[in-house]
Amino acid sequence: MKEIYLDNNATTKVDEAVFEEMRPYFCDLYGNPSSMHYFGGQVQRKVDEARNRVAALLGALPEEIIFTACGTESDNAAIRSALEVFPERRHIITTRVEHPAVLTLCRNLSKRGYRVTELGVDGEGRLDLNELRSAIDEDTVVVSVMWANNETGVIFPVEEISRIVKEKGKGALFHTDAVQAVGKIPINMATSSIDMLSISGHKLHAPKGTGVLYLRKGVPFRPFMVGGHQEHSRRAGTENTAGIIALGKACELAGHWMEDENTRVKALRDRLEAALLELIPRARINGGEAERLPNTLSIAFEFVEGEAILMLMSEKGICASSGSACTSGSLEPSHVLRAMGVPFTCAHGSIRFSLSRYTTDEEIDTIIRELPPIIRRLREMSPFGREFLNA
Ligand code: PLP
């Protein structure tokens, strides 16, 4: 059975061209880029090229790119740095729908004496910018708001948020977790005021264990990984050279695929969405009224369990998710859907499909064919579902 992989917000397939780019840097060109000899020097040049490629995708300067080990590290490095830079300030602002990489850190910090404001969202997953405006005060040290939500794909107006932080924040820094946005929607740091931005390689067809923290030139920074002088003393530790080279190539390719993502992939997503809404009664799009990523569809089916849907789809080779990969495994509705006030009966039956450049028309056809009978079968098995079907 060939898998139909629609779980690309959890992780992506490494692009073959990315793999070929990194392959020589394991067994042949394994030098340390910090070494003085030619053997390390040639690796250093490839790392520089990777930095340029990442910078080009973001409209950034190469020196604004810090390679890390993952999105989680980038998020932690950004927020912790802000706290070190302004030790006298104790107020952090974030949202209730962040990835745990930000939310758990902020909640841990609140136990250590920081005041943390978690902004809420409306039923479509949108922020109220007036709530943000009134939350910022002279004690605010950092505002961290994600660019796009991993579960619903809802996009936050981070450029506007950044401007508000600059206007009202008296020097407070603005960080955005752009892990789900990079490679899917255009980003231009040259015309932006965002101070720090996180990227994860495995969400854009590079290997796991690669990431970037974008740090605007001139923004003060204190690393939490200290040791050697790698990454201009901003992230100590011998570089993951093969991973960095892969991430550079993946960013170059993401630039080429951006149009496909926003036309073909979006059209596939829209077709899937329209067909499921038509064929399955009591289905609802989570965040459907908000601006969303082109590849993401979070859809709730009333009177069924998301995990049961996943299992039956999995038998047909269809891979999706019932929420964020990090929260599946627990039967609690996801914190994102709860924050949106999605009714319990819908939140439980929510499925996330996340498409990629590899998704085909035939795969979408298969899901449109296979999913409606699965939902019907599950509803027949549940008391509420039966009641609804018999009504
Ligand atoms: N932020 C968001 C929005 C994510 O979706 C993820 C991964 O799911 C992360 C951060 C964490 O990235 P990584 O897996 O590279 O640590």
Side-chain angles (χ1 to χ4, degrees), residues 3 29 33 37 50 52 66 89 114 156 162 164 190 211 213 231 240-241 243 313 315 331 352:
E3 82 282 353
L29 302 170
H37 45 68
N52 291 336
I66 304 171
R89 298 194 189 191
Y114 286 91
F156 285 151
S162 182
I164 295 171
L213 175 64
E231 297 298 289
N240 171 9
T241 50
M313 284 202 303
E315 283 174 11
L331 281 177
R352 177 189 70 188

Side-chain angles (χ1 to χ4, degrees), residues 9-10 69-73 75 98-102 146 148-150 177-180 199-203 209-211 324-326 352:
N9 286 10
C70 55
T72 303
E73 183 191 326
D75 288 340
E98 295 299 307
H99 187 273
V102 168
M146 70 201 318
N149 189 273
N150 43 303
D177 174 339
V179 162
Q180 294 292 346
I199 302 183
S200 169
H202 75 102
K203 310 288 184 180
T210 59
S324 141
C326 314
R352 177 189 70 188

Side-chain angles (χ1 to χ4, degrees), residues 41 77 87 90 115 125 133 157 164 222 224 286 321 344 360 384 389:
R90 310 290 289 177
R115 189 161 53 91
R133 269 191 201 92
I164 295 171
R222 305 273 184 284
F224 83 99
N286 297 314
S321 169
F344 206 68
T360 64
F384 289 123
L389 289 173

